[in-house]
Amino acid sequence: MNKVDEEFMREALTLARQAEAAGEVPVGAVLVKDGVVIGSGSNHPIGAHDPTAHAEIAALRTAAAGLGNYRLLDTTLYVTLEPCVMCAGAMVHARVKRLVYGAADPKTGAAGSVFNLTHAEPLNHRLEVEGGVLAEECGELLKGFFARRR
């Protein structure tokens, strides 16, 4: 893990805490190009009444709108939880270069834990993937959230 990855993951963790404060599952994401955050988001499907309102989708949408292009070439997405199938698929379509995630998701992870859309041979794009960046901190945030909800 390098310091840059850790720095941007901390930004994603800040967004995850904001989601938690709003009663949402604490997941945050930032999309970076040339060392600058160009998109960010936190989970908000409950408040938005939108099943697609995941942190990764919000980050991709804000970046694409800001760039005026749905192709997000040469970018890195930092997210506190391994992406689901929907989010991994969106990253492939957007041509995100690199994915860095914190905690693995052994139930719905689509970057290697359950599925691996980020490296699927039939698809026309593959991402570089690094998991486990600040994994303990990311995982503890999620565990604490779900423990309090039970």
Side-chain angles (χ1 to χ4, degrees), residues 15-126:
L15 292 165
R17 289 184 188 97
Q18 290 173 7
E20 180 179 38
E24 303 277 359
V25 175
V27 179
V30 295
L31 188 69
V32 176
K33 183 175 177 71
D34 299 325
V36 177
V37 174
I38 61 168
S40 62
S42 57
N43 262 13
H44 62 283
I46 298 167
H49 309 293
D50 179 357
T52 69
H54 289 196
E56 301 95 322
I57 299 298
L60 294 172
R61 284 178 176 158
T62 57
L67 293 176
N69 193 340
Y70 74 103
R71 295 284 194 228
L72 301 171
L73 304 174
D74 299 317
T75 58
T76 299
L77 184 80
Y78 294 87
V79 61
T80 56
L81 179 65
E82 180 182 359
C84 70
V85 170
M86 173 184 68
C87 293
M91 285 180 247
V92 169
H93 285 294
R95 307 297 193 269
V96 170
K97 181 177 183 176
R98 185 169 176 250
L99 164 66
V100 178
Y101 68 85
D105 186 344
K107 293 186 178 186
T108 63
S113 290
V114 178
F115 305 101
N116 198 347
L117 287 183
T118 58
H119 285 97
E121 283 298 318
L123 300 179
N124 60 352
H125 178 72
R126 284 159 206 81

